[in-house]
Amino acid sequence: MSTADLLGTAGRPVGDKPDLEKKLFRIAGLGAVAALVAWVGQPIMVTLAAQREGGGEVTDWAGVESAKWSGAVEVVIFSGIGLGMLFFVLATWQLLRLRLGGGSIAAQAGMTGGLLGAVAWFLTAAESFRMYTSIGAGIPDAVPDSNLQKAVIEGTALDITGTLILFQVGYTAWLILLATAGRKARVIGLPLTALIGLSFLGVIVQLAVPFLPPLPLAGSLLVTLVTGISFLIKSRR
């Protein structure tokens, strides 16, 4: 099977290739920017919730019930990030295949990492909503002690952290592919390659120093935003 078959471009005139590249740049760019726009909603929601609840964190079931709509909002936010990431990864992968031909095993592993990173956001959405289901409603009956309820809530937070780590692991593999094959295919330039390299410093620091805030996550999202804007600019040339 040829690359054209895989891309769905078999039978197209050769002259259509620039138009297809522009379309892929636009899809990938919109996906990346949409993912970041969705992500911005999360800190906004947290800030508004803190103001509404007097700045206190959720430590028992009463706190969960006082913010009962936050689960649905987080599902929308995290699913939006995942969907945007899927469009970004898949459209960029098609660009690489279009310019470089068949992908190596290493390149396919990098692409799989990108898909894994995107799927991790859907898992984050599911974990965020689980306490707001009919099963979660049984927590106060099963665990009436407020201290134990705090442990259950903390367990959910740890599970969400685990899915974010899954994102970081997979997305790091994707960024390595983007910095190598993307540079070779001239999908990205030297400045973006350097920015990706700098974002890896956050990963190194996170591994070397336990109990830090999720620094690599911020670096990866910044790279995604800048790459998305770059792709949108390319799509208009």
Side-chain angles (χ1 to χ4, degrees), residues 9-10 62 65 90 100 137 143 191 225:
T9 59
E65 288 190 326
L90 291 174
L100 299 178
V143 189
L225 175 62

Side-chain angles (χ1 to χ4, degrees), residues 5-17:
D5 292 327
L6 290 171
L7 294 173
T9 59
R12 293 176 179 266
V14 176
D16 280 358
K17 183 176 178 180

Side-chain angles (χ1 to χ4, degrees), residues 135-150:
I135 305 300
I139 290 177
D141 294 328
V143 189
D145 186 271
S146 61
N147 290 324
L148 293 178
Q149 290 174 6
K150 181 178 180 180

Side-chain angles (χ1 to χ4, degrees), residues 61 64 129-141:
W61 189 253
V64 174
F129 192 69
R130 71 179 190 176
M131 287 195 302
Y132 299 91
T133 63
S134 59
I135 305 300
I139 290 177
D141 294 328

Side-chain angles (χ1 to χ4, degrees), residues 39 161 164-165 168 202-203 206 211-221:
W39 178 79
T161 302
L164 295 178
I165 292 172
Q168 191 60 59
V203 177
Q206 190 82 60
F211 308 119
L212 283 180
L215 298 175
L217 181 63
S220 297
L221 293 174

